[in-house]
Amino acid sequence: MSLPGKPSLPIRRVTLYKHGLGFFERRGAVSGEQLRLDFQRAAMDDVLKSLVVLDRVGQVLGLDFETPPDRNEEVHREQLELSEHASLTDTLTALRGRAVRVMTSEQATEGVLIGVDLEQKNRLERALLSLYQPQARRVVKLPLERLESFEILDDAAAGDLGYALARARRDEDRASALLRLSQGEHDLTVSYIAPAPAWRVSYRVIAEHPARGGEGARDIYLQGWGLFDNTLEEDLDGVQLSLMAGMPVSFRYALFAPSTPERPLIEDEERTVNAPIEYAAMAAPPAGSFKRSAMLGEVQEGAAGMDWMEPERGFAGQMAQSVQPVSSGEARGALFAYKVAQPVSVARGQSGMVPLLSATLAGRRELLYNHARHAGHPAASLRFGNASGFTLERGPVTVLEAGEYAGEAVLDFSPVGAEIILAFAVELGIAGVQRVNHRTEIHRLSVRDGYLLVEEYQLRRTRYEFTSKLDAPAVLTLEHDRAGGHELFDMAAPAEQTLLAARWQLQLAEQSRTEFVVNERALRQRHEKVRGLSFESLQKYLADRVLDAASYAALKAVRELYAEVEAADAALKDLDREREKLYKRQTQIQGNLTPLGQNGDEGKLRSRLVRELDASEDRLRETETEAEELHALRVQKEASAAGAIAALEKS
């Protein structure tokens, strides 16, 4: 284990997951009281979180692991720092002030090292080493290129250099753990999780016409391959390998060293041209869609002894016999494990690829059009149920028809029994156009609590136009994304539908143009006060035939009553304004009367103001009478309107 490629406790079992984690199990016989285990330093948090040690013979006493050094304290403690690029000159510079003996081919010179003078060009050839000889009080300069060796005469400096070299030998990317054991022999099993590249899966699908069946029927031969990488610093030799589908909960927890919180890394969106076209399944696959399946590690029935070039077997049959799957499937709660039956050996730094599954399923080929997924043309698709007995992880699919490359798709995560749709090519011989029109249509009017309730349909009319340039008829499956809360009406029922989409089968003649209309509607409600209705609105409702003549006449009569109430309200406001003016004038007249005398011109003016004051009093009494009459009229009209509305609510 200590030496790369030659571990003392080799890996015997590996389980890889899709989210960048691996479960590793090491087993073997060990003698002695200690076992050193080396790990990637970045994996230590996961190792310490998950490490399990089992000794079937002796006892496990404990585990000691390196404590990550405080880099600041280490730098402060060091008296000598080595560089990766100029270690000789750095060492000589770091020994400044220390006693050294310098040897050249001619002589040996002792002194206290002053330093090294370097030039930018030809640094070693023109470098000068400076030594101070205290007894002679002399500084000696030697060309650095003549230096053959030097001896450190200062014990402390020699110790610092030894420490720096020891630290340089330490692998900063590795960490060690020391497993303490009881005396004697041990039969150890050590398991842990650690970061590992996610395994990948890729599929091959071969579609062939079945011996019996309709034009669109196909035999679907599905083959899956698992890809994994050995990024460990040792070879994997005879390892039991499992590839796990699903999404277990996993996280990092800082156990090995203090952690500094990190900000989220937000990456720019990656866009690609000609992305895969993916369609959601509508329903469970039909019963009996599973024809035969070669489970991993099993040999297909009747395959032994047959010539793979046998014509009647077809390309799919030949491929099924030439590549046998080497694993079995096992459901583990929310996960699904592909267990490779044969031991796997992959050298350090290499990757492996093993066939995971092989199954022949019943399906069909269809042209599937969805404007949102591919606006211009329908997609050639294969549709079948996952009756393979395996949970299928998401991965790329290469599709072959009649032994020729036909296109590619992405197979989404599919549990057993799920329907799968692979859109692998674009049919350029058929062009599709979509046009959408929205409008509102009143459905019904009713009166409730003094409000006119308006029920109206929000209508969505989608017109599809398909132009076929093919020389033969074609069947097109139109997939229409449903508008939220809308229902289909006044059209043919779809062949399949969910809350999100509906599908129809369209027959396209050769060299033809075909139209299809999808009608959707959603019933909405709004309300407005009856007394606030305009005569124009009532006339429009009558013209749109959502009001009959009797209801129109009743609502018009109510609106006329409210019009009289509104006129009375306006007249009352006019009377209020008139009374306010009269009161203001009376106050002014009374103020003018006070200083006026009884005789002469003042007496005449007084008489005229008194007459005006009497007239305003008479008018005030008249306005009070008019206001009372208007209030009475208003109450009468309000009551009549309320009675008419109540009658409308009962009708």
Side-chain angles (χ1 to χ4, degrees), residues 36-49:
R36 177 182 171 182
L37 303 173
D38 289 337
F39 303 100
Q40 290 287 336
R41 186 171 294 267
M44 284 301 293
D45 285 333
D46 288 315
V47 170
L48 296 176
K49 178 177 64 177

Side-chain angles (χ1 to χ4, degrees), residues 42-87:
M44 284 301 293
D45 285 333
D46 288 315
V47 170
L48 296 176
K49 178 177 64 177
S50 61
L51 185 69
V52 175
V53 182
L54 175 64
D55 190 348
R56 293 177 176 81
V57 178
Q59 288 185 337
V60 179
L61 303 180
L63 182 75
D64 300 333
F65 59 91
E66 298 177 1
T67 300
D70 187 321
R71 183 61 183 164
N72 292 329
E73 291 184 3
E74 190 172 77
V75 171
H76 179 74
R77 184 178 65 247
E78 292 175 11
Q79 300 297 321
L80 191 147
E81 181 70 24
L82 298 182
S83 168
E84 296 181 0
H85 306 290
S87 57

